[in-house]
Amino acid sequence: MSKEKESGTAFDFRLFKRVFAYTRPYRLIFWVVAITAIFLSAFAICTPVLVKRIINEALPNKDAGQLTFLVLLMGGVLLGQVVSQLSFNYYANLLGESVIKDLRIRLFKKMMAFKMTYFDKSSIGLLVTRTVADMQRIGEIFSQGFFVIVSDLLKMVAAAGVMLYMNWRLALIVFAIMPIILVATRLFQKAMKVAFIEVRAQVSNLNSFVQERIAGMKIVQLFNREAIEKEKFRAINEKHQNAWLKTVWYNSIFFPVAEISFSIGIGLVVYFGVIMRIESAQLDNVGSIFAFFFLMDLLFRPLRQIADKFNTLQMGMVAANRVFKILDTDSHIADTGTQEVSKVKGNLNFENVTFSYVPGEEVLHGISFNVKAGETVAIVGATGAGKSTIINLLNRFYEIDSGTIKIDGIAIKDFTLQSLRSHIAIVLQDVFLFADTIKNNIALNSDKVDIRAIEAAAKAIGVHDFINELPDGYNYNVKERGTMLSSGQRQLIAFLRAYVSNPSILILDEATSSVDTYTEQLIQEATNKITEGRTSIIIAHRLATIKKADKIIVMDAGEIIEMGTHQELLDKQGYYRDLYEAQFMAKEAV
């Protein structure tokens, strides 16, 4: 933001050109808006010309026919102006909405391809602001900004031309006031750009704060932080208010200056117009003075509006700059693989894999192990040992620093991302459910999964009865993040979702804390069913799972320190036995 403030430029034409590149698919609409803008200018100029003729010709000559003709002609001009204005407003908004529709889709697609590290470091509220609020600001570039400015400029040029044609001396008197408004407008534009950058920054901060506190409301209330968070919100809201008040202050200065200049212009036209009329007869008639009043309005009013519309344009440009920064971010997993395999056996090989979330801070140190197709492997270790990192790397949520991960002898980077992840299913400890029905949360709106397949899978792993007991059964809406279900119920839905996808490789973060005995029994039965006949990697939290595993990998501080079956590792009387006695046996006793 500081760089933008220090740039000192009131308008970024490179950015403007980039925004307008999105209008190319809508060239017809673009030209309709441009043509109607020209018509608006032409109709606006016709009115003062007709007024002049009415006052100078029809009224003095008492020519009823000419008066009727000119009045009807003026009515036609007004009708044309109304039609042009309606067309201009509709198609300018249509163009803006079409552009932001395409841009929003592109932004969302871009964000879906980002590495997990990007989301680890980014505020959700900020990304929501970019996708929703900032997009609307970009749309206003077209609906309320650029084209309105162009239309007003055309009116000003046409008005100035007609004024020079009517009386160039009087026109020059009017033009002498223009530099005052032009200088004020230029200073206003520069000040408003800086102000709007600050406004958008404060809007993002406000959105981020509110989103995080609402999402974490349980923690806020649990630790009695209502008063503290209220004070934090008050401070952030005050900064937001001050940022907006700065724009109000600039407007409060500029528009009175513009109004005073306009009033001075009217006074000078009246004064010098009358003097010319009386003393030197350089002004032909009274009608020209009235025409000048209309023309001055067309000259000064658009200038005031241009400054106002430039505010809108600036806010749109600031928003566009923020959106393009996300679009220009290079933080995606390179999907350069060519292997698309319809079925994999499930043999896994980790060969000397190293990884760091932060460059220079390695969290996995040369991890190597093999899993045969159909085997169940349990990974145990203290918090921070690197268990979840292995899961993330297998799915290519992050890129490894060195080494190789293979499935059936093929490096995972050689698979297309879609093909790789289609063979892997994960049940995470922190289950995420969308604000939708149970059916849609299981199928994830896939056309390949119907309700009959879901019900059959639910019966197979023993959760059909639990779902049927809910209101509306499979059509029960679980609300945001599945808050209408208990943690155990959410995990059962996650098991069913994984089972329905029929993966070759299954990964379970098998946490069952804070669940009742019945739900835990259902989870154990579901675990046994969905791991049957497929390669399974389980971050083990329960003794029963560990004992049944074909192999146990013991991790500590990013390294594999022991590997073997449950009994083999107990017989070693090493780290695993100590962990088993201190952690797993204690949990079973509880």
Side-chain angles (χ1 to χ4, degrees):
M1 188 175 69
S2 60
K3 290 181 180 180
E4 290 173 303
K5 285 184 178 181
E6 293 168 1
S7 66
T9 57
F11 197 78
D12 188 339
F13 285 96
R14 179 193 57 81
L15 180 62
F16 182 72
K17 183 178 179 181
R18 186 174 179 184
V19 172
F20 259 72
Y22 284 86
T23 65
R24 288 172 185 166
Y26 309 101
R27 289 176 182 172
L28 180 60
I29 300 175
F30 180 93
W31 285 111
V32 168
V33 177
I35 291 170
T36 52
I38 295 172
F39 279 136
L40 278 174
S41 304
F43 286 129
I45 293 299
C46 288
T47 301
V49 173
L50 292 174
V51 168
K52 176 187 174 183
R53 290 193 61 187
I54 289 172
I55 295 174
N56 288 346
E57 300 174 16
L59 293 181
N61 298 331
K62 298 181 181 180
D63 188 339
Q66 185 183 26
L67 179 62
T68 302
F69 171 75
L70 291 174
V71 169
L72 289 175
L73 188 58
M74 185 176 288
V77 167
L78 293 175
L79 180 61
Q81 198 168 2
V82 169
V83 172
S84 297
Q85 189 68 59
L86 287 172
S87 301
F88 178 83
N89 290 342
Y90 176 78
Y91 286 106
N93 278 276
L94 177 61
L95 181 63
E97 291 299 321
S98 299
V99 167
I100 63 174
K101 178 198 68 176
D102 295 345
L103 192 55
R104 186 180 281 125
I105 291 172
R106 184 176 178 185
L107 179 65
F108 189 70
K109 182 180 179 180
K110 177 79 173 185
M111 289 193 296
M112 285 195 296
F114 279 152
K115 298 178 184 177
M116 288 298 110
T117 49
Y118 182 86
F119 298 103
D120 293 341
K121 299 175 182 178
S122 300
S123 163
I124 295 176
L126 182 144
L127 294 177
V128 170
T129 300
R130 300 292 176 268
T131 310
V132 181
D134 282 344
M135 285 295 177
Q136 290 305 128
R137 292 296 185 185
I138 294 173
E140 290 171 0
I141 291 176
F142 304 95
S143 62
Q144 300 178 35
F146 173 74
F147 287 110
V148 176
I149 292 174
V150 170
S151 177
D152 286 344
L153 286 173
L154 289 174
K155 291 177 184 177
M156 291 172 63
V157 170
V162 174
M163 290 169 73
L164 285 169
Y165 175 77
M166 285 185 178
N167 189 290
W168 65 270
R169 290 184 177 85
L170 204 56
L172 290 179
I173 293 171
V174 174
F175 296 162
I177 304 171
M178 295 292 291
I180 300 174
I181 301 181
L182 291 174
V183 171
T185 301
R186 180 64 175 172
L187 294 174
F188 179 68
Q189 290 168 353
K190 286 187 176 182
M192 289 302 285
K193 179 178 182 181
V194 176
F196 282 137
I197 289 173
E198 179 64 19
V199 165
R200 297 316 301 163
Q202 293 307 325
V203 167
S204 296
N205 291 340
L206 188 63
N207 286 346
S208 298
F209 184 89
V210 172
Q211 189 275 332
E212 288 179 355
R213 269 52 184 187
I214 291 176
M217 189 57 68
K218 188 178 293 184
I219 299 299
V220 171
Q221 294 182 356
L222 182 63
F223 288 92
N224 297 316
R225 289 185 58 86
E226 291 92 339
I228 296 173
E229 297 302 333
K230 180 182 177 180
E231 282 303 306
K232 286 185 176 180
F233 180 76
R234 184 198 60 77
I236 292 174
N237 199 35
E238 186 174 333
K239 289 181 179 179
H240 177 265
Q241 179 193 37
N242 291 338
W244 273 108
L245 286 177
K246 190 177 292 185
T247 68
V248 173
W249 170 246
Y250 293 145
N251 278 288
S252 300
I253 295 173
F254 173 77
F255 286 103
V257 171
E259 288 294 333
I260 291 171
S261 301
F262 178 66
S263 299
I264 291 173
I266 291 177
L268 290 174
V269 166
V270 172
Y271 179 76
F272 286 103
V274 172
I275 288 178
M276 290 178 185
R277 169 74 174 170
I278 296 173
E279 296 183 357
S280 59
Q282 290 178 332
L283 193 64
D284 294 337
N285 41 55
V286 176
S288 295
I289 296 180
F290 280 95
F292 256 77
F293 290 164
F294 282 100
L295 291 168
M296 283 181 63
D297 187 56
L298 289 176
L299 189 64
F300 283 86
R301 180 168 49 83
L303 188 58
R304 299 197 301 274
Q305 289 182 346
I306 285 173
D308 188 34
K309 297 306 177 183
F310 200 87
N311 295 350
T312 302
L313 185 60
Q314 286 284 45
M315 292 194 75
M317 295 295 286
V318 170
N321 188 46
R322 294 178 182 276
V323 169
F324 285 137
K325 280 183 179 179
I326 298 178
L327 289 173
D328 293 338
T329 300
D330 185 16
S331 180
H332 66 281
I333 299 295
D335 191 8
T336 57
T338 58
Q339 295 286 336
E340 292 189 4
V341 183
S342 59
K343 186 69 177 177
V344 298
K345 295 178 182 178
N347 294 298
L348 297 180
N349 305 95
F350 276 64
E351 300 174 1
N352 198 31
V353 173
T354 63
F355 173 72
S356 53
Y357 290 102
V358 179
E361 299 180 14
E362 199 170 83
V363 295
L364 290 185
H365 315 291
I367 297 294
S368 297
F369 65 89
N370 299 319
V371 182
K372 295 180 181 178
E375 278 189 337
T376 296
V377 174
I379 304 178
V380 300
T383 301
K387 305 185 297 294
S388 296
T389 300
I390 289 177
I391 293 174
N392 290 330
L393 296 181
L394 181 59
N395 283 276
R396 289 194 72 195
F397 292 146
Y398 303 86
E399 293 282 31
I400 60 177
D401 295 341
S402 64
T404 308
I405 303 174
K406 295 180 179 179
I407 297 177
D408 291 351
I410 303 173
I412 59 171
K413 67 179 181 180
D414 293 333
F415 287 92
T416 64
L417 285 176
Q418 192 278 333
S419 179
L420 171 68
R421 292 170 181 171
S422 67
H423 299 301
I424 303 173
I426 306 178
V427 179
L428 295 172
Q429 179 178 351
D430 183 17
V431 177
F432 185 92
L433 298 180
F434 295 96
D436 206 337
T437 64
I438 287 179
K439 178 182 68 175
N440 288 338
N441 268 289
I442 294 168
L444 295 178
N445 294 312
S446 172
D447 296 333
K448 298 179 181 179
V449 182
D450 59 24
I451 186 62
R452 288 173 296 181
I454 293 173
E455 289 180 353
K459 291 175 182 177
I461 67 173
V463 299
H464 177 70
D465 292 339
F466 136 67
I467 295 174
N468 262 348
E469 290 173 359
L470 296 171
D472 299 323
Y474 288 88
N475 290 315
Y476 180 64
N477 193 309
V478 300
K479 304 301 179 183
E480 187 174 0
R481 298 184 67 89
T483 54
M484 300 304 292
L485 301 177
S486 69
S487 59
Q489 290 173 327
R490 290 196 296 271
Q491 193 164 51
L492 288 170
I493 299 300
F495 272 92
L496 182 54
R497 180 162 61 192
Y499 187 64
V500 165
S501 68
N502 192 28
S504 299
I505 300 170
L506 181 68
I507 300 172
L508 301 179
D509 191 350
E510 188 217 359
T512 57
S513 58
S514 302
V515 299
D516 58 80
T517 304
Y518 174 69
T519 304
E520 185 172 356
Q521 182 180 353
L522 287 178
I523 290 174
Q524 182 58 47
E525 292 174 359
T527 301
N528 295 337
K529 183 64 179 179
I530 68 175
T531 57
E532 189 178 293
R534 54 172 54 91
T535 303
S536 303
I537 298 178
I538 302 175
I539 295 179
H541 296 266
R542 298 190 302 125
L543 180 62
T545 303
I546 297 171
K547 286 181 176 180
K548 292 180 181 179
D550 298 305
K551 184 187 299 181
I552 299 171
I553 297 174
V554 185
M555 296 190 67
D556 183 46
E559 296 181 332
I560 296 177
I561 56 175
E562 291 178 352
M563 191 182 305
T565 64
H566 173 67
Q567 193 58 49
E568 288 172 348
L569 294 176
L570 287 180
D571 293 341
K572 284 185 179 181
Q573 297 189 5
Y575 184 91
Y576 174 76
R577 185 179 181 89
D578 293 339
L579 186 67
Y580 166 72
E581 291 177 348
Q583 181 176 346
F584 299 115
M585 286 187 68
K587 285 187 177 182
E588 287 298 307
V590 173

